[in-house]
Amino acid sequence: MLELSNSQIKLSQLRALLAVAEYGNFSEAALRLDLSQSAVSHAIASLEDELGILLFSRSRQGAAPTPVGEQVIEYARQILQLLEEMVAAAKSEKSLQSGTVRVACIRSAATHILPSAIAQFRRRSPGIAIDILEHFDHLDVEKALREGQADVGFTHLPTSAEFETWEILRDEYVALLPPSANLRQNQCTWEELFAYPLIVPSTNNACFATLRNHLLSAGIRIDNQVAYQVNEDSTVVSMVLQGLGATIMPRLAAEPIPSAVHACSLPVPLERIIGVAVLANTLLTPAVFSFLDVLRGVASPPMKCA
């Protein structure tokens, strides 16, 4: 009986076994393995001696597995497959001990979503660095992904088919009115909003285009109402607090909202969907996959006005 503890079976023998089984003769197997035919023959003969069985029936037509040889071939195939998986797992673990994940995001996502995700990821993979690339506009985030400057991006959904995406949260646009506003409920009217000069993003900002199109669909043109064009969210909120005007912006971008500022829902609701995106058909590193797993766990319910 074979004593496994004293077995001298080598991986090279198992590879030779599978090659002969696949190509049906020793010469072709030797060619594929870049070995001499005598080396392959010796490997099979040694394996047969080790196991005490005949693995192949030899003839002028080639080598055909015996019935028990078929069983051994299947075992050999499983052993080599498990070996490959073992090596892959080791490489994956090693790759999670160092490296960098580059994340491009809009500023509100960088402020309110990323910190908790990074904290969780650092506990899981402390050796991986996170580079954060902040952008004013989600279109710049997508450009960074497209040009290979980032591995992962936070953008607005839906986006183009060149990206693989999933939703993280839905963020309601709110109207912010100055402390002097006398509102009776949490939803303002257009008249209450446009009683004040408007503070909006610059016209080349995608957020402004979204806002203008939404208002146009409600039959409202805001060109004559715009008093200030400001891209920095915190500056806009401070200007509203000082009574310089009113604005419409995503709640997440406005947070933290001063208690004196009135935040209310729009007469016609508007929301943005924030999602995570990676470039489709791109080979991602294990570190990026691990970070994406963390992000999948931070999805939040829609944000609404209180």
Side-chain angles (χ1 to χ4, degrees):
M1 186 173 68
L2 176 65
E3 291 290 342
L4 293 179
S5 60
N6 297 321
S7 175
Q8 300 298 314
I9 294 176
K10 300 178 178 64
L11 292 177
S12 59
Q13 293 173 316
L14 299 184
R15 293 189 178 99
L17 174 67
L18 294 185
V20 174
E22 180 177 358
Y23 299 109
N25 63 73
F26 286 77
S27 58
E28 181 65 19
L31 181 64
R32 299 291 180 173
L33 293 174
D34 196 22
L35 297 171
S36 65
Q37 182 173 338
S38 61
V40 173
S41 297
H42 177 72
I44 299 300
S46 299
L47 183 58
E48 290 177 325
D49 288 343
E50 181 72 27
L51 297 175
I53 57 173
L54 187 66
L55 296 172
F56 292 99
S57 298
R58 283 82 160 172
S59 68
R60 292 182 179 180
Q61 286 72 40
T66 62
V68 70
E70 291 281 7
Q71 298 178 44
V72 174
I73 288 167
E74 181 57 31
Y75 289 136
R77 186 174 289 113
Q78 294 177 27
I79 290 170
L80 292 179
Q81 177 63 35
L82 287 172
L83 178 63
E84 289 181 7
E85 293 175 5
M86 180 184 71
V87 172
K91 288 182 177 179
S92 178
E93 178 61 27
K94 183 178 179 181
S95 68
L96 289 176
Q97 295 174 6
S98 63
T100 301
V101 178
R102 302 166 301 165
V103 184
C105 56
I106 50 180
R107 291 164 300 160
S108 53
T111 302
H112 299 286
I113 301 174
L114 267 184
S116 62
I118 292 175
Q120 292 180 46
F121 182 69
R122 292 287 292 175
R123 288 192 291 270
R124 176 189 295 188
S125 304
I128 304 296
I130 302 291
D131 280 353
I132 302 175
L133 312 171
E134 291 187 78
H135 296 279
F136 281 105
D137 198 315
H138 70 279
L139 298 179
D140 292 330
V141 170
E142 295 175 8
K143 181 180 178 184
L145 289 171
R146 196 177 293 114
E147 295 180 354
Q149 299 170 3
D151 306 302
V152 180
F154 285 84
T155 188
H156 295 177
L157 303 183
T159 185
S160 65
E162 64 188 313
F163 300 107
E164 293 182 9
T165 64
W166 68 91
E167 181 179 328
I168 290 292
L169 60 82
R170 298 193 175 208
D171 188 17
E172 180 190 22
Y173 277 74
V174 295
L176 300 183
L177 278 64
S180 60
N182 185 19
L183 298 178
R184 302 174 186 174
Q185 54 187 1
N186 289 330
Q187 183 181 65
C188 67
T189 65
W190 293 127
E191 291 76 14
E192 289 171 324
L193 174 61
F194 295 125
Y196 300 92
L198 274 187
I199 307 169
V200 298
S202 61
T203 55
N204 61 356
N205 189 305
C207 186
F208 176 79
T210 298
L211 178 60
R212 181 172 57 184
N213 292 337
H214 179 70
L215 293 175
L216 282 175
S217 67
I220 298 171
R221 304 182 70 89
I222 62 171
D223 298 327
N224 295 330
Q225 292 289 129
V226 174
Y228 306 97
Q229 293 185 355
V230 181
N231 280 326
E232 185 60 53
D233 299 328
S234 59
T235 302
V236 174
V237 175
S238 294
M239 292 175 70
V240 174
L241 179 62
Q242 294 301 319
L244 296 175
T247 191
I248 301 172
M249 63 193 306
R251 174 174 282 275
L252 198 63
E255 296 286 355
I257 302 173
S259 59
V261 170
H262 299 279
C264 55
S265 298
L266 298 176
V268 180
L270 173 64
E271 67 178 8
R272 63 175 179 172
I273 304 174
I274 296 179
V276 173
V278 296
L279 199 61
N281 303 317
T282 297
L283 184 61
L284 302 177
T285 66
V288 173
F289 274 118
S290 182
F291 185 66
L292 292 176
D293 284 340
V294 171
L295 292 180
R296 288 186 177 94
V298 301
S300 302
M303 302 186 68
K304 298 295 184 182
C305 285

